[in-house]
Amino acid sequence: MGVIRKSITFTEQQDTYIKSLIEKGFYTNDSEYVRDIIRKDQENRKNDIDLYDALVDGIESGTSKETVDSIWDQAIKAHEGTK
């Protein structure tokens, strides 16, 4: 994986915060902190995208012919099968 150098600007407050995290041993440098934030953002957005896709699939699939009781019954049986 190639490395690309970027230049970003922080406020003094943000810089102080990042330096405090580095001093406490959470990160070894500014870049490691920024990469960690990006990884967490990617994971969160993937979850958001997966949820959005599932909602769209559900909406586009139309109205179910199942009843609430039959759906509960299926869920209970599926859950019991995982024990």
Side-chain angles (χ1 to χ4, degrees):
M1 175 184 294
V3 177
I4 299 172
R5 188 168 192 78
K6 297 268 184 187
S7 174
I8 58 174
T9 305
F10 297 110
T11 65
E12 285 184 33
Q13 181 183 15
Q14 291 168 332
D15 187 52
T16 301
Y17 175 71
I18 295 167
K19 285 179 181 176
S20 75
L21 293 176
I22 293 167
E23 289 172 5
K24 291 175 183 168
F26 290 105
Y27 301 96
T28 57
N29 57 47
D30 297 18
S31 294
E32 185 180 353
Y33 173 70
V34 172
R35 286 191 302 269
D36 186 47
I37 291 172
I38 292 170
R39 276 191 295 274
K40 289 174 182 173
D41 182 63
Q42 286 173 318
E43 184 178 313
N44 287 336
R45 290 197 191 273
K46 181 188 179 317
N47 293 337
D48 291 346
I49 290 167
D50 290 347
L51 176 59
Y52 175 83
D53 289 344
L55 289 169
V56 169
D57 288 347
I59 291 168
E60 290 177 350
S61 71
T63 304
S64 175
K65 295 188 184 341
E66 299 283 340
T67 66
V68 173
D69 289 335
S70 69
I71 293 170
W72 273 114
D73 289 342
Q74 290 173 30
I76 290 168
K77 287 177 186 173
H79 178 70
E80 289 172 349
T82 61
K83 292 182 181 181

